[in-house]
Amino acid sequence: MEMTVAEALIRCLENEKVEVVFGYPGGAMLPVYDALYHSTKIKHVLVRHEQGAVHAADGYARVTKRVGVCMATSGPGATNLVTGIANAYMDSIPVVIFTGQVATALIGTDAFQEVDITGITMPITKHNYLVKDPHKFPAIVRNAFHIAATGRPGPVLIDIPRDIADAKIDFKYPKTVHLRGYKPTYRGHPNKIQEIARLIKESKRPLIYAGGGILSSNAEQELLQLAETISAPVTNTFMGLASFPGNHPLFLGMLGLHGTRYANLAVTECDLLIGIGARFDDRVTMNINAFAPNATVIHIDIDPAEIGKIVATHVPLVGDVKTILAALLPLLEPTDRSEWAARIADLKEQFPLTYIRDGRLKPQFVIEQLCAQTHGEALVVTDVGQHQMWVAQYYRFQRPGTLVSSGGLGTMGFGLPAAVGSQMGRPQQQTILVTGDGSFQMTMQELGTMMEQGLPIKIFILNNSVLGMVRQIQEFYYQARYMAVNFKFHPDFAALARAYSIPGYTVQTEEELQKVLPEVLATPGPALVNCLTPADENVTPMVMAGKGIHEAIEC
Amino acid sequence: MKHTLAVLVENSPGVLARVAGLFSRRGFNIESLTVGRTESNDVSRMTIVVEGDDRLIEQVSKQLHKLIDIIKISDISEDEYVDRDLVMIKVTADPSQRVEIMQMAGVFRARVVDLGRKTMTLECTGNEGKINAFEESLRPYGIKELVRTGKVAMLRGSKFSSTNGAHTADSKEG
């Protein structure tokens, strides 16, 4: 069937069962937007800034486990996507990005709104394409969706010159993908799986260190079964949170820089560390020489390049986490490890996660209350900074995949647009955005998108009028020389919410919060709660730079 | 230790930038890199020489594997292989020195490819050691210009590293 490439793009999206596209139009993308005008199957969400489009697609992908799609025009439209693309890349999120480009004849001439976006995004995409031959376009889109969603997922960008978008092709969507240089390994080596089963059997103090790979592989059930079968405690990386029930007796919470002391000490004491879908990130390991010093290390990951990158692994195993765990489980016998369990219980009792309640509204208290009132079952989206770490510590996620946050890149401003995408992906689930006064102001224009789409997101700003995480670092490492962290002016966030027709509240005591919270959570529709919290509250425990994770300090 | 990687890549635009970019952003040093087409029109072959220990080379290979356009990587320095480098050197050469230089070139089986009023241009092919020796022997005459292709390499005997299958010890399917 003959049609333009722009029309073919819509047909490709329909073939990929895409329902929502987040985007922002512009000159070079007009043929595509004209084609969208005629589509009845694809909903386009107009954001307020292109960064919002890519974060929304990212959030949507995380909660739906499908490929998120966004589009923007050439030049500034494309460059505004860059942070969001890097964010999706660092967290291994499947997103397909379409950008407009100047006409083929103008490429390389510094034309109006021209930028080499494939060049710019080369290091932050899993792959990217500049379409030069219109007839190859359907195959490129097919490949892009395949690459984004399989193996270790990631973003793929397709740059479409304006004249290519208008070119006529005979449309046929390819049924198969042919990529001879891309064949991810899914099944783990059977001998290695046997070896792992043997090591688990011999181990007295096994510990599971589970990351985001559990979630991208949908292996939450297998993880739970593994932990319960072999009686091994589970610690999560930040990206791995909400892959294991937060109230489970075997759960240790997050490890690393701001991890629980008992998780970090258990890592130090374990004799077998079973790393699954995690990458030994520097925020997890801290001083690498002091990380799991007594342990035999098993590392299961779909990306061969992660294995042996940071730590020497005794048993490396490349493959899909879910497939591997399913093959491993029948080889294991239920084991009771009461001595190790007693030691873990002892650590939990000796070094609990605590904060000081002194009458002021503590941010940790806000998160604890949110968790209690939602029974740990809400979909929680966060921004980046102290509030993010408090969510990681104090929100006990009960359901798989209910935390949406920027882990690897640490993108302030991710929260609100990601919440928009998340809520659109799971319209029935209560969605809460926990943000900070710094992060929120980076992308708060997306309140417009949120209201336009009628999304009932509940926003909680932990507002301490300071860039808290930076302030904390300046306190510890720069002798409290606070530079460029105090906001001397803030808008009235509750009033700002009301300007967007969102009910706005301000609370600054525990009582006020407890009074407002049930009403806010029970009332349909959006709400914004501006929580005024102390500026000098630090995230603890904290492992100082250069120290091992067993040396965390509390204050 | 120096490793020689034979890398088969899709002959698509940007593939060189992808490889070069990967090396620079991951902090790997390229000793030399050559690229050209192979027996198949849609496949190019890069010969990349990298200096580093086994762990670094493993990371280089694994990171290269992640690029979609890379079809196959073989660290051929683990096997017997033949390698060649081509150099062209322009040296100062008065007419009185020409015979001497040409004799020297004969030792290295180099050829004279151009003559100027006061210069000679010589071409020499061989492995890295030979090329280095040739360069040193011409240095006393005054090298005005020198250009090298960088190394190309191929496994000896019936082993091969191509898209035609067979030698798959380090292929992506492995």
Side-chain angles (χ1 to χ4, degrees), chain A residues 238-447:
Chain A
F238 178 73
M239 288 303 294
L241 287 170
S243 69
F244 196 81
N247 61 348
H248 197 287
L250 287 169
F251 190 54
L252 297 175
M254 183 175 74
L255 80 166
L257 170 64
H258 291 303
T260 62
R261 297 226 41 209
Y262 41 90
N264 285 343
L265 291 166
V267 170
T268 309
E269 292 183 18
C270 73
D271 66 358
L272 180 69
L273 185 75
I274 310 169
I276 312 176
R279 60 187 178 92
F280 296 85
D281 177 73
D282 54 289
R283 289 291 187 274
V284 161
T285 65
M286 301 307 287
N287 181 350
I288 192 74
N289 299 317
F291 186 74
N294 307 308
T296 301
V297 177
I298 294 168
H299 191 180
I300 304 171
D301 203 288
I302 196 153
D303 182 357
E306 287 303 340
I307 289 173
K309 187 177 84 174
I310 306 291
V311 295
T313 307
H314 302 92
V315 186
L317 181 53
V318 176
D320 171 55
V321 164
K322 189 184 180 79
T323 312
I324 288 171
L325 292 185
L328 174 66
L329 283 167
L331 307 180
L332 303 170
E333 293 158 21
T335 326
D336 172 56
R337 292 187 166 88
S338 47
E339 211 174 299
W340 181 222
R343 176 63 185 150
I344 296 290
D346 183 39
L347 288 173
K348 280 186 173 177
E349 201 182 308
Q350 268 190 68
F351 306 103
L353 198 56
T354 56
Y355 63 96
I356 297 161
R357 280 173 74 180
D358 57 10
R360 299 180 295 172
L361 180 61
K362 288 297 184 81
Q364 300 93 328
F365 180 81
V366 178
I367 308 299
E368 273 185 338
Q369 288 300 308
L370 273 173
C371 183
Q373 302 252 351
T374 58
H375 312 290
E377 292 183 343
L379 177 58
V380 181
V381 184
T382 85
D383 251 302
V384 170
Q386 286 184 313
H387 71 272
Q388 180 189 32
M389 290 299 108
W390 285 316
V391 167
Q393 293 175 336
Y394 290 93
Y395 197 93
R396 305 222 155 203
F397 295 92
Q398 302 302 339
R399 291 214 210 165
T402 47
L403 170 65
V404 173
S405 190
S406 165
L409 194 66
T411 311
M412 289 174 69
F414 172 79
L416 181 57
V420 167
S422 302
Q423 180 76 82
M424 295 199 67
R426 288 198 201 161
Q428 301 309 322
Q429 191 165 12
Q430 178 148 63
T431 301
I432 290 174
L433 168 65
V434 180
T435 180
D437 47 312
S439 289
F440 185 65
Q441 290 186 84
M442 284 200 174
T443 50
M444 64 184 180
Q445 73 280 357
E446 300 303 337
L447 286 174

Side-chain angles (χ1 to χ4, degrees), chain A residues 120-174:
Chain A
I120 289 171
T121 59
M122 218 171 253
I124 52 167
T125 49
K126 189 168 170 187
H127 196 52
N128 62 23
Y129 295 94
L130 169 62
V131 186
K132 286 184 168 163
D133 177 355
H135 302 286
K136 288 188 178 155
F137 181 75
I140 287 176
V141 178
R142 179 80 172 84
N143 289 349
F145 274 83
H146 177 75
I147 292 167
T150 55
R152 179 179 182 171
V156 179
L157 180 140
I158 302 174
D159 198 24
I160 311 167
R162 168 95 203 230
D163 56 321
I164 300 283
D166 283 326
K168 295 263 190 195
I169 59 168
D170 186 22
F171 179 76
K172 200 166 158 245
Y173 202 59

Side-chain angles (χ1 to χ4, degrees), chain A residues 3 5-22 29 32-33 35-36 39 41-44 66-71 95-98 137-138 141-142 144-145 158 160 171 173:
Chain A
M3 62 178 75
V5 164
E7 287 159 355
L9 192 160
I10 308 304
R11 295 292 297 273
C12 291
L13 295 181
E14 289 169 0
N15 272 285
E16 292 292 339
K17 311 254 183 314
V18 172
E19 291 165 5
V20 186
V21 171
F22 302 90
M29 268 311 245
V32 173
Y33 273 81
L36 263 175
S39 170
K41 291 182 187 156
I42 294 168
K43 179 184 172 70
H44 179 272
R66 294 165 58 189
V67 177
V69 181
C70 67
M71 51 180 62
V95 179
V96 169
I97 303 113
F98 294 93
F137 181 75
V141 178
R142 179 80 172 84
F145 274 83
I158 302 174
I160 311 167
F171 179 76
Y173 202 59

Side-chain angles (χ1 to χ4, degrees), chain A residues 122-123 126-128 132 147 152 179-183 303-305 307-311, chain B residues 10 13-14 17-18 25 42-43 55 58-59 62-63 66-71 172-173:
Chain A
M122 218 171 253
K126 189 168 170 187
H127 196 52
N128 62 23
K132 286 184 168 163
I147 292 167
R152 179 179 182 171
L179 289 163
R180 55 184 159 179
Y182 178 69
K183 295 184 183 80
D303 182 357
I307 289 173
K309 187 177 84 174
I310 306 291
V311 295
Chain B
E10 296 285 352
R18 285 181 207 280
R25 75 176 171 273
D42 56 348
V43 177
R55 201 172 151 195
E58 188 187 324
Q59 258 300 303
K62 284 173 165 181
Q63 294 295 346
K66 286 176 74 166
L67 299 179
I68 309 291
D69 281 340
I70 291 204
I71 302 164
K172 292 191 104 165
E173 293 84 352

Side-chain angles (χ1 to χ4, degrees), chain B residues 1-169:
Chain B
M1 180 189 158
K2 276 184 194 166
H3 290 255
T4 304
L5 305 178
V7 183
L8 295 170
V9 302
E10 296 285 352
N11 187 9
S12 62
V15 65
L16 181 61
R18 285 181 207 280
V19 171
L22 184 137
F23 272 80
S24 75
R25 75 176 171 273
R26 297 256 173 206
F28 307 141
N29 279 320
I30 302 178
E31 194 96 347
S32 84
L33 187 156
T34 61
V35 59
R37 57 168 288 267
T38 62
E39 66 280 3
S40 340
N41 279 333
D42 56 348
V43 177
S44 296
R45 176 159 165 157
M46 295 184 181
T47 306
I48 307 175
V49 183
V50 196
E51 168 93 48
D53 57 19
D54 289 350
R55 201 172 151 195
L56 183 100
I57 300 305
E58 188 187 324
Q59 258 300 303
V60 169
S61 297
K62 284 173 165 181
Q63 294 295 346
L64 282 172
H65 266 308
K66 286 176 74 166
L67 299 179
I68 309 291
D69 281 340
I70 291 204
I71 302 164
K72 189 171 164 184
I73 302 163
S74 313
D75 184 353
I76 64 171
S77 34
E78 289 172 352
D79 276 306
E80 288 292 314
Y81 67 98
V82 189
D83 66 301
R84 288 292 178 270
D85 198 344
L86 183 145
V87 68
M88 288 201 286
I89 303 177
K90 190 177 283 180
V91 288
T92 313
D94 287 333
S96 63
Q97 292 173 301
R98 283 185 184 167
V99 175
E100 190 183 326
I101 292 174
M102 283 167 76
Q103 279 172 350
M104 173 116 52
V107 173
F108 288 94
R109 297 193 192 176
R111 296 193 308 142
V112 177
V113 290
D114 190 39
L115 272 179
R117 249 182 346 113
K118 287 183 179 171
T119 61
M120 279 176 87
T121 303
L122 299 113
E123 167 209 303
C124 182
T125 310
N127 64 22
E128 202 181 0
K130 177 184 164 184
I131 301 292
N132 289 345
F134 180 59
E135 182 187 331
E136 281 313 305
S137 66
L138 288 177
R139 196 169 290 284
Y141 300 96
I143 295 177
K144 297 187 85 69
E145 196 177 345
L146 182 152
V147 59
R148 284 174 82 148
T149 56
K151 178 155 101 174
V152 292
M154 196 176 266
L155 288 167
R156 283 190 185 274
S158 53
K159 288 183 172 177
F160 56 96
S161 174
S162 78
T163 47
N164 303 330
H167 181 85
T168 53

